[in-house]
Amino acid sequence: MVRRMRYADVMGGADMTIMRCENLSKTFQTGEYAVHAVREVSLGFEPGGFCAITGPSGSGKSTLLHMLGGLEYPTGGKVYYEDADLYQYNDNQLSLLRRRRFGFVFQAYNLVRELTAYENILLPVMLDKKQPDKAYIDRLVEMLNIGDRLSHLPGALSGGQQQRISIARALANKPAILFADEPTGNLDGVTGREVLALLRLVGQELGVSLVLVTHDLGIAEQADRIIRLEDGRVASDSGAK
Ligand code: ADP
Ligand code: MG
């Protein structure tokens, strides 16, 4: 398989990141117990890269992803998208940034059951009160091979089809970064690998940066870079400089 050219190589080794976090931490306080879900994590992500975050259950993967994606406030440290400090924004500014620049794919697909597949895909564009870019949406539909499913309700689709619809939805607003949390977790092995291969292909074609959480090493190995968390800390990082 052709390896993605590293942005830093093209830029003559310049240290370019689209997103970075510094000493990022999250402590959950439940009663008298404090759970240190993420501890002082500092990472940079290259534009157009495909990075997998892996590690055992409870190691802080989802919490880290949610903080990177602007979905959960840290208790310590910073997240920067380009040069913007994410959590300096107010709620409105943050949700606008999320809607326009980030896409999200979750294990449970989260499609609206009353809407057709096509309506689900267009939802983020509609929420942003924009006209859909028909040619771009057509291209997504073609790449994800869902053209013959667009008029179906989610309940009439297989798990793999639902996840491909949710990937199209996550990409509908042309995000810069796609965050995926265990996107293959509800799929059988073969379907999961197919969906992952499509995700990778679409990310590459569109130049979208992928940050993917998975506890499945076979899935993680398809990424350009693997970060392993243990107990809220980075235990290893194949992309470490
Ligand atoms: P992973 O995604 O790697 O399985 P999580 O990020 O979901 O791990 O969780 C990391 C740790 O934080 C776990 O110990 C989990 O129980 C705890 N945790 C996650 N979310 C919450 C929450 N909302 N309240 C309290 N503890 C939480
Ligand atoms: Mg998780």
Side-chain angles (χ1 to χ4, degrees):
M1 192 173 289
V2 182
R3 296 301 279 184
R4 200 185 296 249
M5 196 181 292
R6 291 174 72 245
Y7 198 80
D9 297 338
V10 182
M11 299 300 288
D15 187 16
M16 297 287 295
T17 58
I18 185 166
M19 169 160 276
R20 65 196 159 88
C21 61
E22 288 174 2
N23 302 319
L24 192 61
S25 302
K26 178 81 183 189
T27 301
F28 292 104
Q29 197 71 46
T30 49
E32 41 193 282
Y33 297 100
V35 177
H36 301 285
V38 174
R39 307 174 193 239
E40 310 252 309
V41 169
S42 299
L43 293 165
F45 298 92
E46 285 176 24
F50 177 9
C51 175
I53 299 171
T54 186
S57 172
S59 58
K61 305 182 295 296
S62 294
T63 305
L64 176 61
L65 191 86
H66 291 163
M67 290 194 288
L68 293 173
L71 294 168
E72 186 158 326
Y73 278 81
T75 49
K78 301 269 190 197
V79 178
Y80 296 93
Y81 167 68
E82 294 183 326
D83 280 322
D85 180 343
L86 232 62
Y87 294 100
Q88 289 297 309
Y89 286 133
N90 67 33
D91 283 353
N92 277 342
Q93 291 169 320
L94 188 56
S95 62
L96 204 67
L97 176 85
R98 267 201 318 261
R99 201 190 305 147
R100 297 207 172 141
R101 307 308 295 145
F102 301 165
F104 297 92
V105 176
F106 299 102
Q107 178 169 348
Y109 325 131
N110 297 349
L111 297 173
V112 180
R113 313 220 63 84
E114 294 78 16
L115 299 180
T116 66
Y118 194 62
E119 289 164 344
N120 267 284
I121 294 170
L122 290 186
L123 205 54
V125 184
M126 299 303 180
L127 286 174
D128 221 18
K129 300 183 176 63
K130 284 192 303 210
Q131 283 301 313
D133 177 344
K134 181 90 174 49
Y136 172 77
I137 301 287
D138 285 351
R139 194 167 156 222
L140 284 181
V141 164
E142 189 187 345
M143 279 192 281
L144 290 161
N145 193 21
I146 45 183
D148 57 349
R149 291 289 177 274
L150 296 178
S151 61
H152 292 56
L153 294 174
L157 301 175
S158 70
Q161 289 165 348
Q162 289 189 64
Q163 196 58 305
R164 283 184 278 145
I165 301 290
S166 84
I167 292 169
R169 178 184 56 180
L171 292 166
N173 260 344
K174 305 181 183 172
I177 309 181
L178 182 72
F179 297 96
D181 193 352
E182 305 276 6
T184 61
N186 282 357
L187 305 173
D188 66 71
V190 172
T191 309
R193 281 192 294 280
E194 279 170 10
V195 166
L196 210 279
L198 278 174
L199 193 60
R200 184 191 164 88
L201 176 82
V202 177
Q204 210 157 5
E205 284 283 311
L206 300 175
V208 176
S209 313
L210 299 180
V211 183
L212 168 115
V213 158
T214 180
H215 67 274
D216 182 335
L217 270 185
I219 294 286
E221 275 163 5
Q222 297 191 42
D224 303 325
R225 172 185 179 190
I226 303 179
I227 295 167
R228 183 175 169 81
L229 293 187
E230 279 170 22
D231 198 19
R233 290 195 180 87
V234 175
S236 66
D237 178 357
S238 72
K241 302 213 173 76

